[in-house]
Amino acid sequence: MFLLAEAIGKRHSIPHNSSRSCLMKRSVGPRSGAIGSQGMRLCQVVEAAVGDTGRHVVELTRALATRGHDLTLIYSPTSADSAFRHSLCDIRAEVVPLPIERAASWRDIPAARSLGRMLAKRGPFEVLHAHHAKAGSVARLAGTGGAALVYSPHALEAAGRDRGVAARSLIELGERLLGATRTDAFVAANPAEWDDAGRLGIDVERRHLIANGNQTVTARPRSEARKALGARDGDCWIGFIGRLTPDTAPLLFVAAALGAMRRQSNVRALILGDGEQAVLVAQAIAASDHAHRFVWLRGIATKKWIAGIDLLVVPGRAGAVDHGVIEAVAVGVPVIATMATGARQLLGEGGGQLCGSEALPALLLALLADPTRLVRLRKEAVSAARAVRDTDMVDRTEALYVRLAARR
């Protein structure tokens, strides 16, 4: 089942250049540069168009476009995953590719100049919103042409974590300088990121806490999702969603899942995602005696499968509130997560449990061994879903844009 599911996932992935035919889906009208009945002129810029960051940018762009705003989306094709590229096919925005290298280098200067020329050609804009640390740096170096600059780092604490002391110090210095001189608004997705921004010198007036989540979370019905997974009566499915990177800790999930499978014959595992640790994940699963109990799908929309699992496991060590957690809680799927993840913000409303990384395998075993406890968590997740739907990221972001644009 593991190898078959992996192949299914690959059939759904999008070749690197296939999204080109999806670009420029809407005609672009005259640039009025004014706030009125036609809405605002907005530009989203993202380099790391992968995983939760890519999904967040797409959902925000799509929602703002449906509200009558004029959207331009600039992204780096060299850093976009298949899910992001596929989503460009039904987005009402002018989509413009701009290659930006992932690692900091001298090439950031010509990239900033190219971005500046794009903004001048397609502007003027009321607001320019840069997502993730690299796009934030390039956009702020480029200048905005009079637009208000909004910066969302999407896990600021993770920037440079795996690099040397000198590199991390340089990144922090850059954040301090650009934050002090070229940032009109800093959007933190959780309280920890809010505090990190304060330590970098971003004053309170320019910091805005806007948690991920919106009112448009929909999913395939549970019965349909479980049928598509091939779930049998009595099966207990645990899931992992996200990029396969050291930060999201997919190897910890695999280890915990294998431990549960050795104890209980009804445990199955679903992995949704791809990334730099895909080879290591594949090796860990293949080396076990339970590879046939894993389903791994790459580049496929979470909402097609999320309702079919019984428990979402979030073992990562950092980040904003994961979109997988939002979708899981919104459809009543309970969550267990490490204290290091952004999930702790959402799970304060109920619908899951938090623990340390070392305790996660034991907590998973305890939950799976106690069906009544799992049922109670599912009921709490259904109640917490109301809080997810009532916390609308789009409303709050749009309101911030309006305030900033009015000041220009």
Side-chain angles (χ1 to χ4, degrees):
M1 179 182 285
F2 161 60
L3 294 177
L4 174 62
E6 188 175 19
I8 292 173
K10 287 181 178 178
R11 286 206 301 270
H12 283 77
S13 63
I14 309 296
H16 175 73
N17 291 324
S18 67
S19 65
R20 186 166 297 174
S21 61
C22 300
L23 304 186
M24 302 293 290
K25 289 295 289 185
R26 63 157 175 79
S27 60
V28 181
R31 304 296 197 183
S32 64
I35 304 175
S37 60
Q38 297 304 311
M40 293 177 287
R41 309 246 10 277
L42 308 172
C43 181
Q44 307 286 330
V45 182
V46 60
E47 177 270 329
V50 296
D52 280 349
T53 299
R55 291 176 61 191
H56 175 88
V57 173
V58 166
E59 290 177 4
L60 178 60
T61 301
R62 182 179 288 127
L64 291 168
T66 61
R67 297 183 180 198
H69 300 296
D70 189 337
L71 270 295
T72 295
L73 171 58
I74 299 175
Y75 79 105
S76 176
T78 57
S79 302
D81 62 16
S82 59
F84 181 87
R85 293 194 295 271
H86 181 76
S87 69
L88 299 179
C89 293
D90 65 351
I91 195 168
R92 293 176 53 203
E94 181 180 7
V95 181
V96 185
L98 172 66
I100 303 174
E101 290 190 0
R102 176 66 59 87
S105 75
W106 64 269
R107 293 184 179 86
D108 292 347
I109 302 301
R113 290 172 178 167
S114 296
L115 177 58
R117 288 192 293 270
M118 285 184 179
L119 297 175
K121 179 180 179 180
R122 290 172 168 82
F125 297 101
E126 277 78 48
V127 178
L128 170 65
H129 193 159
H131 299 266
H132 216 266
K134 189 59 179 291
S137 298
V138 171
R140 288 179 290 185
L141 288 172
T144 64
L149 193 291
V150 179
Y151 172 43
S152 292
H154 297 279
L156 180 62
E157 72 275 20
R161 178 193 290 128
D162 297 321
R163 302 182 186 180
V165 175
R168 290 197 301 271
S169 298
L170 185 60
I171 290 172
E172 181 174 330
L173 177 61
E175 289 285 353
R176 285 183 178 276
L177 292 174
L178 294 173
T181 61
R182 299 195 175 189
T183 306
D184 295 293
F186 180 105
V187 175
N190 57 59
E193 200 163 67
W194 167 279
D195 293 338
D196 287 336
R199 284 190 286 271
L200 290 174
I202 304 291
D203 56 74
V204 174
E205 289 73 19
R206 290 185 295 140
R207 274 182 277 163
H208 304 269
L209 182 59
I210 302 178
N212 291 336
N214 60 64
Q215 297 172 351
T216 61
V217 177
T218 58
R220 173 187 286 180
R222 178 173 170 81
S223 59
E224 292 183 15
R226 289 184 71 82
K227 182 178 180 181
L229 284 172
R232 300 167 299 184
D233 290 342
D235 280 352
C236 185
W237 283 79
I238 58 177
F240 172 95
I241 299 171
R243 293 283 296 169
L244 307 184
T245 70
D247 280 341
T248 61
L251 293 174
L252 177 56
F253 170 79
V254 172
L258 289 173
M261 290 173 180
R262 296 185 190 102
R263 294 285 191 91
Q264 294 184 215
S265 61
N266 66 332
V267 175
R268 302 290 187 271
L270 170 67
I271 298 175
L272 295 175
D274 203 351
E276 63 192 76
Q277 289 198 324
V279 173
L280 296 176
V281 169
Q283 290 173 345
I285 295 174
S288 75
D289 295 328
H290 303 283
H292 62 288
R293 294 162 72 178
F294 283 82
V295 172
W296 182 0
L297 303 173
R298 306 184 186 190
I300 297 178
T302 305
K303 64 183 180 181
K304 293 183 178 180
W305 310 96
I306 188 67
I309 65 176
D310 298 286
L311 184 68
L312 180 68
V313 181
V314 186
R317 59 183 180 178
V321 178
D322 311 82
H323 280 256
V325 175
I326 295 170
E327 293 185 349
V329 175
V331 298
V333 173
V335 178
I336 60 171
T338 63
M339 292 295 293
T341 68
R344 64 185 182 272
Q345 177 189 359
L346 183 61
L347 295 184
E349 303 291 340
Q353 287 193 320
L354 298 170
C355 65
S357 297
E358 300 80 6
L360 189 140
L363 176 58
L364 177 60
L365 287 174
L367 285 173
L368 296 180
D370 186 355
T372 59
R373 192 173 172 187
L374 201 55
V375 169
R376 186 176 70 251
L377 279 181
R378 176 173 286 278
K379 291 180 179 178
E380 291 178 0
V382 171
S383 298
R386 301 187 187 96
V388 174
R389 298 188 185 103
D390 290 342
T391 304
D392 196 342
M393 170 268 298
V394 178
D395 280 347
R396 299 190 64 186
T397 304
E398 183 184 39
L400 173 61
Y401 290 172
V402 170
R403 292 195 301 272
L404 292 172
R407 301 174 189 170
R408 310 309 288 180

